[in-house]
Amino acid sequence: MGIPTWFFGANAGLEFLAMIASILIMYFAYRSYKLSSQRKFFYLGLAFFFIGISFFARTITHLLFYIFGANSLLTSFLQHINYGSPFYMLITLLGYLIILAVITKMFDRYSLLMIFLLALAGIMFSTNPLQLFHIFSLIILFFILWKQLENYFETRNANALLVFAAFLLMLVGHTLFITISYIKIEYVFYILAHVFQLLGYGALLLAMLRVWSK
Amino acid sequence: MKRRRNKLEIVFDILTAIQAKGGTIKPTHLLYKSNLSHNRMREYLDELLEKNFIEEIEKKEKKKVKQMIILKEQGYEFLQQLGKLKEFTEAFGL
């Protein structure tokens, strides 16, 4: 894939910002859990903890790749947790799946485990696991988005609209990552995908800050 | 049909009702505003008293002694936190 060299390092920066946003959302969810003792907040925090870890893995690998180059021992070791590695894909999917479970109140452990195992099997045995990961993410985010749209129409609340917009941006990000394989100007889509992802987490963080910083 | 309120929502409604009356309310008014049975409201009030969120006082008015419920500083703070929690819940539709 022809990613422009100037974007190496910049991608780590964008991923770092998304990681910070995920960690802050996790903190707000945990604060809600401490206040209410309701487990749904704990699980929401856990979901963003997983997403935060996945962004941490991406940030650190891309940063070290930028500093030491692709051939260093450290970078080759970090490829096991980088974007595209099974670790990265599964931990991100786990985060999305928990968000879906919390907002749809789908607490049937067997169904959740089954969905996760199907994703695991797909990713482990696919010839193009990364593409499959983005497709799985797209499907999960589609259902999250659907629920968020319903929620917005129910509440007509600006923060609910922001949360909806956030998941929409994340969905667009994954769509752009999928289209990379089918177009010639893939580097533009790769950069845009990163930007949309960051905007998504930024919108989510903005919604949280609007709630908690009053 | 409206869904049943959970415990936190009931506490939020009780504290909001007191706040809406300027921080002091008569128990009968609170009973009406919080939409609870007498016994259930008593249980909630006891818990709020224990947590130091409210205070029960006796006020003399025209030779009559009236019971009043006062929202305390901790109660105001907790109400503010609950308001944020409510907004958080609404934002995600949890």
Side-chain angles (χ1 to χ4, degrees):
Chain A
M1 188 164 52
I3 312 296
T5 45
W6 63 263
F7 195 60
F8 290 123
N11 57 357
L14 293 178
E15 286 152 0
F16 177 74
L17 291 174
M19 180 192 83
I20 297 292
S22 306
I23 289 169
L24 285 171
I25 298 161
M26 179 193 85
Y27 164 72
F28 289 129
Y30 183 70
R31 204 167 141 179
S32 305
Y33 169 67
K34 289 300 279 180
L35 191 67
S36 66
S37 302
Q38 291 179 349
R39 292 175 84 177
K40 60 186 177 186
F41 296 114
F42 175 80
Y43 288 125
L44 193 70
L46 189 68
F48 282 100
F49 171 70
F50 286 136
I51 293 170
I53 288 181
S54 74
F55 276 115
F56 173 75
R58 277 171 71 167
T59 307
I60 200 83
T61 320
H62 284 148
L63 193 67
L64 292 174
F65 184 84
Y66 175 66
I67 297 168
F68 299 111
N71 299 323
S72 79
L73 190 68
L74 189 63
T75 330
S76 55
F77 168 73
L78 285 170
Q79 289 302 333
H80 295 295
I81 58 164
N82 190 19
Y83 169 71
S85 69
F87 169 80
Y88 165 78
M89 292 187 279
L90 291 172
I91 208 156
T92 308
L93 281 178
L94 196 59
Y96 286 160
L97 201 58
I98 296 173
I99 296 174
L100 179 72
V102 172
I103 66 163
T104 56
K105 297 169 181 72
M106 182 175 74
F107 291 118
D108 180 5
R109 275 178 286 179
Y110 300 106
S111 307
L112 288 171
L113 186 64
M114 188 188 71
I115 297 170
F116 184 71
L117 288 177
L118 283 172
L120 177 75
I123 283 169
M124 296 309 282
F125 298 106
S126 165
T127 50
N128 193 347
L130 190 60
Q131 195 76 338
L132 196 64
F133 156 72
H134 286 302
I135 292 167
F136 278 142
S137 301
L138 206 67
I139 294 168
I140 298 174
L141 282 171
F142 171 76
F143 283 102
I144 293 175
L145 203 63
W146 186 344
K147 190 75 187 156
Q148 291 304 325
L149 187 65
E150 280 180 358
N151 179 48
Y152 170 66
F153 283 129
E154 224 168 82
T155 58
R156 296 277 173 189
N157 177 318
N159 289 325
L161 184 63
L162 259 176
V163 172
F164 168 76
F167 285 111
L168 180 65
L169 288 164
M170 288 179 211
L171 187 130
V172 173
H174 280 287
T175 312
L176 289 170
F177 275 122
I178 292 170
T179 47
I180 285 168
S181 310
Y182 306 104
I183 51 153
K184 281 187 177 170
I185 47 161
E186 75 271 25
Y187 65 92
V188 177
F189 277 50
Y190 181 77
I191 294 165
L192 279 175
H194 272 84
V195 171
F196 271 97
Q197 256 189 350
L198 177 64
L199 287 174
Y201 287 96
L204 214 48
L205 181 61
L206 181 65
M208 297 301 96
L209 288 174
R210 278 170 54 95
V211 170
W212 289 99
S213 63
K214 275 181 189 170
Chain B
M1 200 176 81
K2 265 192 140 183
R3 67 171 180 86
R4 281 171 67 118
R5 291 175 295 172
N6 65 33
K7 191 180 170 183
L8 272 180
E9 286 169 329
I10 294 171
V11 169
F12 181 77
D13 289 345
I14 290 174
L15 296 179
T16 307
I18 308 173
Q19 190 192 33
K21 282 278 178 184
T24 310
I25 197 168
K26 288 178 188 170
T28 44
H29 281 176
L30 185 60
L31 188 69
Y32 167 72
K33 292 276 180 190
S34 59
N35 200 18
L36 292 167
S37 70
H38 181 268
N39 287 346
R40 289 270 287 154
M41 192 184 83
R42 193 64 255 168
E43 283 172 28
Y44 278 102
L45 288 183
D46 287 342
E47 196 175 331
L48 293 174
L49 280 166
E50 197 185 311
K51 288 183 173 160
N52 226 6
F53 292 158
I54 59 167
E55 192 180 356
E56 277 183 317
I57 58 157
E58 288 183 342
K59 200 174 169 186
K60 279 185 185 171
E61 260 180 34
K62 296 174 190 171
K63 293 178 186 175
K64 281 183 180 176
V65 178
K66 284 182 178 175
Q67 283 272 338
M68 299 298 273
I69 297 164
I70 294 177
L71 187 61
K72 294 180 79 175
E73 190 58 39
Q74 288 102 312
Y76 275 110
E77 280 169 21
F78 188 67
L79 182 60
Q80 207 180 15
Q81 293 294 312
L82 281 185
K84 288 176 181 178
L85 187 73
K86 198 168 178 261
E87 280 187 49
F88 183 78
T89 308
E90 278 176 5
F92 274 94
L94 297 175

